[in-house]
């Protein structure tokens, strides 16, 4: 869990952000609105950040699980 969200919840949010950023980027590109394209790229970057955060937290959970077993 990350705060009160499960890993699956965070990944679902991440995927939704990615999907929406693609739509925004497509619309803004057609209208040549660079600032909005940049914004969409930032949203996509945050989506990737969330994915990486879940991955790192899962790895940490596994490492802690192994340490707990050693301490028993």
């Amino acid at each position: 869990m990350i705060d009160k969200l499960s890993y699956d919840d965070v990944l679902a949010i991440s995927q939704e952000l990615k999907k929406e950023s693609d739509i925004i980027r497509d619309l803004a590109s057609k209208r040549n609105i660079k600032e909005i394209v940049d914004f969409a790229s930032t949203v996509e970057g945050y989506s990737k950040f969330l994915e990486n955060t879940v991955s790192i937290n899962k790895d940490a959970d596994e490492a802690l699980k192994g340490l707990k077993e050693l301490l028993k």
Side-chain angles (χ1 to χ4, degrees):
M1 290 191 70
I2 298 175
D3 196 23
K4 295 179 182 173
L5 298 172
S6 71
Y7 293 143
D8 289 338
D9 291 338
V10 175
L11 290 174
I13 291 166
S14 172
Q15 292 304 313
E16 189 66 26
L17 286 172
K18 169 72 170 95
K19 184 176 113 184
E20 299 302 331
S21 72
D22 289 342
I23 292 168
I24 292 167
R25 183 180 297 105
D26 184 52
L27 293 171
S29 293
K30 289 177 183 176
R31 290 166 180 80
N32 200 25
I33 307 171
K34 185 182 178 331
E35 293 83 5
I36 302 297
V37 172
D38 291 345
F39 171 75
S41 294
T42 301
V43 172
E44 183 177 356
Y46 186 67
S47 169
K48 290 181 188 298
F49 167 78
L50 290 175
E51 289 177 14
N52 291 335
T53 299
V54 168
S55 178
I56 289 168
N57 276 277
K58 283 183 175 181
D59 290 347
D61 288 347
E62 285 300 312
L64 289 173
K65 184 175 157 184
L67 287 173
K68 287 179 183 177
E69 291 297 319
L70 288 174
L71 295 174
K72 284 186 178 182

